[in-house]
Amino acid sequence: MDSAIEAVAEALAGATSVVVLTGAGISAESGLRTFRETMEGLWKDFDPMTLATPEAWEADPEKVSRWYDWRRLGCLAADPNPGHVALAQMESRLNARGGRFTLLTQNVDRLHHKAGSRNIVELHGSIIQWRCTVCGAKTTPGPESLPKFPPPATCCAASHRGLLRPDVVWFGEMLPEEALAAASEAVATCDLFLSIGTSSIVQPAASYILWAARRGAETVEINTEPTPISDTVDWSIMGKSGEALPNLVRAAFAG
Ligand code: BV8
């Protein structure tokens, strides 16, 4: 067994309050491209960073809503992988012994929900849910492609001619108040923080592990490549989360 996995398993076995931050990497083994990988197909010439902004929406709501609907259908068709399932098991085992577990995710694919995780904080919203640009009414479109782009709002006051936009946080937009509050409270009280499958670039999510470390929490990173935090964490586990997490949960909660 990898010595880092053994050490982290020991820390996990003794932890009372655990925070996990996930990024697009944890969904890679479910077949979803990570946020910064090159896009494919008709989107291969686009940079996600230039589409995931309010300015892109204002400039071309048809293009942006088509991109998001294409990604939404991919997320709906995807299944959780062993990494997602292991985190749901970690939460159950910690809760069963009176411990706390908070899952902060940057992902908008809702695969953690499908895997059975419960205490999930969606820092960047969800692509599965869309909302009216005028009144904010939320709706969850079905498994087929949206019929029209940009999609007209379907809420009761549709006479105000709102459009439906994905209920995600774009670059330049504030994170949801309740998500920020939940994340801050969890980071302020955790004794172990694991960062999994994220390039640790996007703020404020990338700062949470640093705040936890400053408070004395032990810190872990699981990633397939080094990131800006790899040299600062207590344990850096290089590997696929779909393999490392099941091994970690087995070692920490054996029996
Ligand atoms: C805000 C939803 C107030 C949309 C997303 C402070 C300093 C500098 C800049 C800023 C700052 N504060 C705010 C900013 C600006 C900006 C920002 O952070 N910019 C970055 C580029 C520097 N932040 C914001 O605008 C945030 N708002 O703070 O409001 C404000 C605003 C303006 C100015 C000041 C203050 C809002 C950010 C939210 C943006 N929305 N998503 C959508 O999905 O379309 S972020 C987007 O990136 C996704 O959510 C994604 O999850 C997220 C982070 O990317 P990652 O998840 O890390 O994915 P990535 O592809 O990068 O990396 C994948 C990793 O997985 C890799 O490391 C890879 O090695 C690894 N991996 C791959 N396979 C595996 C694996 N690991 C393990 N196992 C595997 N199998």
Side-chain angles (χ1 to χ4, degrees):
M1 168 83 64
D2 177 314
S3 59
I5 291 259
E6 280 180 344
V8 174
E10 201 173 319
L12 189 52
T16 55
S17 179
V18 174
V19 171
V20 170
L21 170 73
T22 60
I26 196 165
S27 297
E29 291 159 86
S30 294
L32 295 181
R33 245 179 357 286
T34 64
F35 198 70
R36 276 162 193 74
E37 276 174 353
T38 49
M39 307 284 275
E40 65 184 26
L42 70 167
W43 299 104
K44 65 183 181 342
D45 303 327
F46 290 96
D47 170 4
M49 291 293 290
T50 61
L51 287 173
T53 67
E55 295 76 18
W57 171 264
E58 290 306 320
D60 192 341
E62 179 187 344
K63 177 172 73 173
V64 174
S65 55
R66 283 186 187 279
W67 182 56
Y68 274 96
D69 192 44
W70 175 70
R71 285 176 59 199
R72 176 182 75 89
L73 295 174
C75 292
L76 284 175
D79 292 316
N81 64 62
H84 295 105
V85 173
L87 287 182
Q89 292 166 344
M90 185 187 292
E91 178 176 20
S92 297
R93 301 299 292 268
L94 271 165
N95 290 167
R97 67 168 198 228
R100 281 190 66 195
F101 179 92
T102 306
L103 176 51
L104 310 179
T105 188
Q106 299 173 93
N107 298 340
V108 297
D109 57 34
R110 289 226 158 139
L111 288 182
H112 286 303
H113 298 73
K114 283 187 186 174
S117 289
R118 291 186 302 278
N119 189 19
I120 303 169
V121 180
E122 290 183 311
L123 297 172
H124 299 158
S126 166
I127 203 168
I128 305 303
Q129 199 164 255
W130 290 45
R131 70 170 191 260
C132 174
T133 52
V134 172
C135 72
K138 299 200 179 188
T139 182
T140 302
E144 61 288 335
S145 178
L146 288 167
K148 193 169 181 289
F149 297 97
T154 52
C155 44
C156 52
S159 57
H160 53 227
R161 278 188 294 287
L163 294 175
L164 283 183
R165 59 159 281 184
D167 196 25
V168 299
V169 178
W170 279 327
F171 287 97
E173 291 186 323
M174 287 299 287
L175 276 62
E177 285 280 318
E178 61 279 9
L180 286 171
S184 301
E185 194 278 329
V187 170
T189 53
C190 71
D191 48 21
L192 182 61
F193 190 114
L194 298 95
S195 175
I196 300 168
T198 177
S199 54
S200 299
I201 293 169
V202 173
Q203 299 294 349
S207 296
Y208 288 138
I209 193 167
L210 308 178
W211 301 347
R214 268 206 290 278
R215 280 194 33 261
E218 293 183 299
T219 54
V220 185
E221 178 183 44
I222 298 176
N223 201 307
T224 47
E225 64 187 24
T227 73
I229 65 165
S230 300
D231 293 337
T232 65
V233 295
D234 293 306
W235 296 286
S236 172
I237 296 171
M238 282 291 133
K240 291 184 174 182
S241 48
E243 294 163 11
L245 282 170
N247 290 339
L248 177 59
V249 169
R250 263 193 300 276
F253 301 104

